[in-house]
Every structure is written in C-alpha cells, then in structure tokens.
C-alpha cells in the first residue's frame, strides 16, 4: 500500500498527468521501453516472461484510458446543451432576399439572416421559426396550430386581407401566409390568424348550418309575378324614386326610407317581389346612372345580391347567437356592397325577431334585437348602400321603432289573389309554349293561346265556386258569428303554382308511359286542384289551429275557434289558444 502511494506521487504518476490527460510528450512510450528491454535480454531469459506480462497490463490500461476519455466527452456535451440558453421562437413575416428574413420575435421586428442549412422550401411566410442568440433563423417549426379566428371583410386586389372588428368600427389588414397565397377568399370566410395578429394562416371550413343567411344573385323578373300590380308599383315608387332621384328628395328635405315592409298572407309572393325588386333595381341603377349610383365607399353598383333570412330561424337557442346573426347579416351586406352589388336584406316572418314586447312574449325572450337592428339600420346611409325588406303577415306586431320614418316607413300590402289575380298567376305558369292536348286546343278555339285562356278560366271557376265541396274551413268569430271559408278564400300564388306543377307531372307520366308526346288535358288541372286542397302542403294539418290563423285574412284576435272541412266532413272545432 505504502509503495503505491509513493508511486502515485512520483513523477509521471497519474496525479501528475491529471485525469484524461495524455502523458507528457517527452515521456517515452512505455510499450516502446518494454520492447527495448525485451530486445536487450538474451533469448530464453526468464525475465522476458515478466516483461510480456507488463506489456499486456500496459496495453489494457491504455484501452480503458481511451474508453474513459470517450465517456467524458459525451458527458461534457450533455452538460453543454443543458446549460446553453433557449432559442427564441418568432414568426416569419417576409423573405426579402436570399438568406434574409423579416421576422417578429416577442413583438419586435428583425431583419435577420437565415442559416444556409435551413432548406428554402420550409421557409413559409406565417410559420414559426427558431432564432439563435444572433437572431439568425436556424430552424422552422411549421404553422402555429392555435390562434384567433376572424371573419374576412374583404380580400383586397393586392392579396392583402381586411378584417372588421367591433361591429365594423375598426378594420385590420393582414398578409396571407404562403399557403393562402392565391387561394380564392371571399367576404364572410372564417380565417385563423397568428396570435400576433400579423398573418392570416388558414381558411377554416364552413361550419354546416352556422349561418342561416341565404345569399343569392336575384334573377326573378317582374313578369314572373302574376297580379300584385299595386304592390309592385308601390315598391317601385318607394325605392326607385329615392334611388334614381336622390337629389330631388334632398331638395325637398325628404327623409329617404331604408327599405319597406311587405305584408300579407304566406305564399302570395312577398319573397318573389323582393327578389324581383332586387334584380330590377340593381340593373336599373347600374344601367341608368353614369357613376353606377356610388354609395358606400364610392363603389359603383354593377349587380345585385339578395340576402334572405327567416326570422324564426335566427331566434336562436343560445344567448347572443341571434344578435350575432343579425350583425353578420349586415356585415355580409356591407361586404357585398363593397364588391359592387346592391344588397337587399330580406327578413321573412320579421315579427318573430322585430316584434313588440307583446309579440315577443310568446318566444319568452327579452328583445335585444330591435335596438340592435335599429342601430345597424341607422348606420346605413342610403338606399344605395343596403335596402332592407321585411316580410310579415302580422305587421301590427312589428315594433314601431323599426317602422319609424327614415327606417322602414313604407308598408306595402301583398294581397291574396282574387279571381283576376289568380288568373294572372296561372298565366305565368301555363304558358302557351307548353304541350297542350290537341283535342283540347281544337275544342277551345283552335289556337293554343285561346285554349290556355279558356282552360285558365275553367280552373279559376273550379277554385272559386262556392259549393260544399269547396269548403275548407269554418271559423267562429269573437262576435259570435260563424263563417265558412272556401278554396277561393284561401288560395295563394304558392297553391296555384303547385297545382300547375301537379298537372304537369301527370302529363309527363302519360308521355313516358305512352312513349309519345301527350299534352296537358283539362282533367290534369282539375284533378290537381282537388289534390292540392286535399293533400297539398300549403294548407296546415286539420288540428293545427294556430297555423290556420296565419292564413286568415281576419285579425287572429277576432277568431275564437276553427274547424276544417278537408276530408269532406267538418272536424271538431279547435279553440284558439290566445297567445298572440
Ligand atoms: P311569401 O314570401 O309571400 O310567403 P313567396 O314569394 O315565397 O311567398 O311565394 C312562394 C311561391 O309561390 C313562389 O316561389 C312562387 O312560385 C309562387 N307565387 C307566389 N305568389 C306568386 C305570384 N304573385 N305570381 C307567381 N308566383 C307566385
């Protein structure tokens, strides 16, 4: 033991060389010294055996020394990594040149170098990047997977994207990520943006049923509407004049309306009239005004847009959702306007969302929609920006705040068709170029036009005759009177169009069965009338008293009970549960 200690302290001992350090260069290689010793001994000298053993032991020592050195190196590397500072993460904003990047790291922007070992194809605008202490980009991490989602307000021609916040009071412009470059984006699309609000990263797929707004380009012409001349001319006066003669209105200090209310029973053409107004007015403005009727942000009108929503559908189940939908609706309209369309907002069954407190009680909610709707409406400067059409069969229930001058102060009645109007409507659907049975043409004057006219007369007589067979409903009024309503009292444009549809189906069936053209015969139409009133979906089921009320031209408050006649006999009277 004591010898060992003495050796340790001696020159050339392990404590002298230090752990892992090679022996000093001056020290001769022990193996070489051993070889020299061996060579100096005579052959078969017994000391050679001792030297062989020594040589073996020296070789083993050298091998383990090497292994220790390798392990030490590995541990030093790990310690180095664990004690190095972390790399910062930033977002790549632009690639202004070879080997250069504009980046944002922790809110500050840098014009940085890119490590040449980073492949060019992974350097995408909008991705997250790692930077070293010198802020050089050393790695990309792909797109951030989370971040806020915003609705696009406008895709600018140069590719940048505009978003609106705070109900359109604030705008924000963002760049597109590399993956959004060239992607067709339109107003209303939902985009996920980077958490730093610099770059729009990805387009989110439309959530099904998320919006109830039907957005279409209106194509209906006035000719496709039968009857309703009064309503049509009232509308033209109500919006064509202020649109086309805005200066005259200004001179007379006349408050321009923002739209109008169409009221009347369901299926009589309110939507159709709204669509025709949208199509014809946008065309008129774009054609007759040299500047295209510049309005919001000076964009000329080049087309039309019809944004259609059904009131009850946006009376949504969770709090705040219906408000969001109304806001979306106006935002969408403004976006359409910026694209050059004259947008018409059409709200069907408007009383359900814009009703007075009394009307809204039935939906058991406090109506925050009315003030919101009014403020959105007041934000519209003129009819050249957005036209609003409300449709309702209970105009008395609409909150008067909505119907104030300067808002929706025109009420236009869309009545149930009388005999003449019903004939006009049938004329729209029974056009002369439809195949009509030859015998029918021959028996009715020989000309298709005359034959159709006389056929229409027959159908009208069948619908409007006051026979027992034609009874549909009996109503009992508050004043004690009872009244029978006949088919003619409940007919609508929708019913007439459906009758023609049924008749055509019959003639088509016959043509296919016979393998040769078979024209319409009068019986097709007359059978279709009975079927439509008996089985059609335009009239409610017998027991749906509340639904029947919506069809009546009587004020619902006046009706105490209804009973239907649909199956040839009168059903039991249903009392009206007066909720409205
Ligand atoms: P409302 O909005 O009043 O409930 P719609 O305009 O939706 O009624 O009418 C429903 C359908 O009935 C229309 O798509 C059309 O086919 C038909 N219709 C209603 N009124 C008329 C009319 N006056 N002329 C032609 N078709 C009509």
């Amino acid at each position: 033991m004591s010898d060992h200690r003495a050796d340790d302290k001696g020159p050339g001992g392990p404590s002298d060389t230090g752990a892992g350090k090679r022996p000093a260069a001056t020290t001769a290689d022990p193996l070489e010294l051993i070889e020299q010793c061996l060579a100096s001994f005579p052959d078969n000298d017994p000391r050679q055996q001792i030297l062989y053993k020594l040589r073996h032991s020296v070789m083993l020592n050298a091998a383990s020394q090497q292994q220790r050195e390798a392990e030490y190196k590995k541990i030093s590397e790990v310690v180095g990594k664990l004690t190095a500072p972390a790399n910062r993460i930033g977002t790549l904003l632009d690639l202004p040149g070879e080997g250069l990047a504009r980046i944002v790291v922790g809110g500050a922007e840098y014009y940085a170098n890119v490590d040449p070992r980073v492949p060019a194809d992974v350097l995408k605008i909008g991705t997250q990047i790692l930077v070293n202490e010198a802020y050089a980009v050393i790695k990309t991490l792909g797109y951030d997977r989370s971040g806020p989602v915003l609705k696009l307000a406008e895709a600018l021609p140069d590719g940048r994207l505009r978003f609106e916040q705070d109900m359109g009071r604030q705008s924000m412009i963002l760049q597109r990520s590399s993956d959004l470059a060239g992607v067709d984006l339109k107003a209303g699309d939902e985009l996920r943006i980077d958490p730093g609000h610099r770059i729009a990263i990805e387009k989110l797929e439309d959530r099904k049923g998320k919006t109830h707004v039907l957005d279409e380009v209106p194509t209906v012409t006035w000719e496709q509407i039968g009857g309703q001349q009064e309503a049509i001319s009232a509308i033209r006066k109500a919006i064509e004049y202020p649109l086309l003669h805005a200066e005259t209105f200004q001179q007379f200090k006349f408050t321009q309306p923002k739209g109008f209310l169409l009221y009347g029973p369901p299926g009589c053409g309110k939507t159709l009239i709204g669509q025709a107004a949208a199509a014809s007015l946008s065309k008129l403005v774009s054609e007759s005004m040299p500047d295209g009727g510049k309005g919001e942000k000076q964009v000329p009108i080049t087309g039309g847009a019809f944004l259609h929503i059904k009131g009850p559908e946006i009376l949504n189940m969770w709090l705040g959702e219906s408000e969001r939908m109304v806001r979306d609706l106006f935002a969408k309209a403004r976006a359409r306007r910026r694209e050059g369309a004259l947008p018409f907002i059409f709200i069907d069954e408007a009383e359900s969302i814009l009703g007075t407190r009394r009307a809204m009680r039935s939906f058991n909610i406090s109506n925050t929609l009315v003030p919101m709707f009014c403020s959105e409406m007041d934000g519209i400067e003129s009819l050249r920006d957005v036209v609003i059409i409300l449709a309702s069969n209970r105009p008395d229930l609409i909150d008067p705040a909505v119907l104030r001058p300067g808002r929706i102060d025109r009420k236009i009645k869309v009545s149930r068709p009388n005999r003449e109007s019903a004939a006009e409507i049938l004329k729209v659907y029974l056009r002369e170029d439809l195949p009509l049975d030859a015998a029918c043409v021959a028996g009715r004057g020989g000309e298709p036009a005359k034959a159709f006219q006389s056929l229409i007369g027959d159908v009208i007589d069948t619908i409007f005759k006051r026979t027992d067979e034609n009874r549909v409903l009996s109503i009992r009024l508050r004043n004690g009177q009872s009244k029978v309503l006949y088919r003619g009292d409940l007919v609508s444009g929708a019913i007439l169009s459906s009758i023609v549809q049924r008749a055509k189906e019959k003639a088509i069936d016959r043509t296919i069965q016979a393998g040769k053209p078979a024209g319409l015969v009068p019986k097709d139409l007359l059978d279709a009338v009975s079927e439509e009133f008996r089985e059609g979906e335009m009239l409610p089921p017998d027991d749906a008293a509340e639904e029947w009320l919506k069809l009546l031209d009587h004020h619902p408050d006046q009706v105490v009970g209804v009973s239907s006649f649909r199956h040839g006999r009168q059903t039991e009277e249903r009392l009206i549960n007066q909720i409205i």
Side-chain angles (χ1 to χ4, degrees):
M1 288 289 282
S2 57
D3 283 346
H4 268 277
R5 248 175 274 144
D7 279 355
D8 285 352
K9 286 176 185 163
S15 57
D16 223 15
T17 53
K21 273 194 195 154
R22 291 189 171 279
T26 50
T27 317
D29 181 0
L31 283 173
E32 224 169 83
L33 294 174
I34 294 171
E35 290 300 333
Q36 282 173 18
C37 277
L38 275 171
S40 66
F41 289 147
D43 280 351
N44 299 325
D45 189 315
R47 283 170 300 177
Q48 279 186 334
Q49 288 304 320
I50 301 169
L51 283 175
Y52 285 140
K53 279 187 191 157
L54 178 62
R55 188 173 67 180
H56 181 68
S57 144
V58 167
M59 281 164 74
L60 284 182
N61 264 343
S64 64
Q65 169 85 3
Q66 266 178 11
Q67 202 179 338
R68 273 198 306 276
E69 277 177 17
E71 275 168 15
Y72 173 77
K73 199 174 156 207
K74 222 193 263 171
I75 288 176
S76 308
E77 276 173 17
V78 170
V79 170
K81 267 190 187 161
L82 290 178
T83 52
N87 289 117
R88 289 184 172 83
I89 296 181
T91 305
L92 181 62
L93 297 180
D94 199 9
L95 293 162
E98 177 99 26
L100 291 173
R102 200 158 66 81
I103 58 173
V104 55
V105 182
E109 278 192 40
Y110 299 89
Y111 201 79
N113 288 314
V114 181
D115 183 336
R117 285 168 297 183
V118 179
D121 60 344
V122 298
L123 282 170
K124 291 181 174 178
I125 293 172
T127 49
Q128 288 190 309
I129 37 117
L130 272 192
V131 295
N132 63 13
E133 278 156 78
Y135 286 90
V137 178
I138 53 166
K139 196 176 164 85
T140 64
L141 301 174
Y143 293 112
D144 195 349
R145 309 271 313 148
S146 50
V149 173
L150 292 182
K151 271 212 169 128
L152 181 64
E154 188 185 6
L156 301 176
D158 63 4
R160 289 177 306 158
L161 305 171
R162 198 170 69 77
F163 295 87
E164 277 182 358
Q165 285 185 314
D166 198 12
M167 286 173 71
R169 278 192 279 273
Q170 265 185 30
S171 279
M172 177 163 78
I173 302 261
L174 298 190
Q175 286 189 73
R176 295 176 184 230
S177 67
S178 293
D179 284 1
L180 278 184
V183 173
D184 185 24
L185 296 174
K186 55 181 189 318
D189 283 345
E190 280 190 327
L191 298 172
R192 187 168 62 80
I193 67 172
D194 85 285
H197 291 218
R198 300 295 297 260
I199 304 227
I201 292 176
E202 67 167 332
K203 180 184 170 194
L204 300 182
E205 285 311 310
D206 282 352
R207 275 178 287 153
K208 270 233 148 32
K210 156 196 67 143
T211 166
H212 296 275
V213 182
L214 207 73
D215 182 352
E216 53 193 31
V217 175
T219 51
V220 177
T221 59
W222 295 119
E223 290 71 45
Q224 282 168 264
I225 302 172
Q228 305 296 2
Q229 275 83 9
E230 265 179 52
I232 293 172
S233 68
I235 286 182
R236 300 189 95 163
K237 219 170 163 177
I239 50 176
E240 251 174 57
Y241 284 10
L243 256 174
L244 300 179
H245 310 284
E247 293 69 29
T248 316
F249 274 72
Q250 248 161 18
Q251 279 164 6
F252 282 92
K253 310 248 179 302
F254 200 93
T255 333
Q256 284 199 15
K258 301 274 165 67
F260 48 88
L261 167 75
L262 292 175
Y263 70 101
C268 290
K270 295 186 291 295
T271 314
L272 212 55
I273 289 175
Q275 286 166 323
S280 105
L281 277 161
S282 42
K283 192 157 168 263
L284 208 68
V285 177
S286 61
E287 283 173 1
S288 68
M289 302 175 92
D291 64 352
K294 283 179 180 168
E296 182 174 277
K297 302 210 171 99
Q298 303 296 303
V299 181
I301 292 165
T302 51
F306 192 73
L307 308 176
H308 182 175
I309 59 162
K310 286 189 178 1
E313 274 180 17
I314 64 166
L315 250 199
N316 217 288
M317 30 306 177
W318 61 84
L319 206 66
E321 187 69 353
S322 7
E323 282 82 353
R324 187 182 69 84
M325 286 195 195
V326 171
R327 270 201 307 271
D328 276 4
L329 180 68
F330 278 88
K332 204 165 192 166
R334 284 194 297 268
R336 280 279 172 279
R337 181 65 193 85
R338 282 192 296 270
E339 289 164 12
L342 176 60
F344 277 63
I345 290 181
F346 186 92
I347 303 182
D348 211 356
E349 297 184 55
E351 76 285 353
S352 61
I353 53 167
L354 301 176
T356 54
R357 270 171 199 285
R358 178 168 166 253
M360 302 306 287
R361 250 209 325 264
S362 58
F363 295 100
N364 201 18
I365 58 164
S366 68
N367 197 357
T368 50
L369 285 170
V370 170
M372 215 195 88
F373 186 86
C374 290
S375 84
E376 285 282 3
M377 207 162 27
D378 295 343
I380 297 169
E381 273 168 29
S382 86
L383 276 173
R384 291 184 194 179
D385 292 332
V386 179
V387 181
I388 301 164
I389 306 178
L390 305 182
S392 173
N393 64 342
R394 288 301 305 275
D396 53 310
L397 294 183
I398 293 188
D399 197 305
V402 177
L403 305 176
R404 226 175 264 151
R407 290 182 184 154
I408 308 282
D409 58 350
R410 306 294 148 91
K411 287 193 204 171
I412 296 166
K413 179 155 185 161
V414 178
S415 327
R416 195 180 283 290
N418 57 17
R419 285 182 74 100
E420 290 70 36
S421 302
E424 294 282 324
I425 295 173
L426 283 179
K427 220 190 260 172
V428 171
Y429 295 103
L430 287 173
R431 295 161 40 148
E432 290 165 39
D433 51 1
L434 286 178
L436 189 57
D437 179 57
C440 172
V441 179
R444 291 168 189 256
E447 280 172 42
K450 280 205 179 124
F452 269 116
Q453 207 177 343
S454 110
L455 198 53
I456 288 172
D458 286 358
V459 176
I460 295 294
D461 284 345
T462 311
I463 295 173
F464 280 88
K465 67 188 176 199
R466 291 180 111 66
T467 58
D468 279 0
E469 192 205 351
N470 264 4
R471 287 180 305 178
V472 181
L473 198 68
S474 164
I475 56 172
R476 196 153 55 83
L477 299 176
R478 197 162 288 283
N479 62 12
Q481 270 182 359
S482 275
K483 211 170 159 185
V484 173
L485 299 177
Y486 293 82
R487 288 178 179 176
D489 299 320
L490 290 168
V491 76
S492 67
I495 289 178
L496 291 167
S497 119
S498 174
I499 288 172
V500 174
Q501 202 69 9
R502 280 174 190 268
K504 283 182 185 169
E505 276 169 20
K506 292 175 200 294
I508 289 170
D509 258 5
R510 256 198 328 277
T511 306
I512 292 169
Q513 299 292 338
K516 58 181 172 43
L520 272 170
V521 295
K523 188 171 180 298
D524 291 336
L525 281 158
L526 302 180
D527 285 352
V529 171
S530 312
E531 285 166 23
E532 182 59 37
F533 278 99
R534 245 186 290 123
E535 306 151 19
E537 285 161 8
M538 307 292 174
L539 297 179
D542 291 343
D543 53 358
E546 302 296 335
E547 290 302 308
W548 281 107
L549 274 190
K550 291 188 185 167
L551 293 185
L552 301 182
D553 296 314
H554 289 81
H555 195 290
D557 280 355
Q558 300 306 317
V559 183
V560 200
V562 296
S563 63
S564 72
F565 283 101
R566 188 137 30 155
H567 298 283
R569 57 192 168 80
Q570 186 166 7
T571 58
E572 198 184 316
E573 182 183 80
R574 308 268 162 179
L575 292 179
I576 301 297
N577 180 13
Q578 287 292 349
I579 50 167
I580 286 187

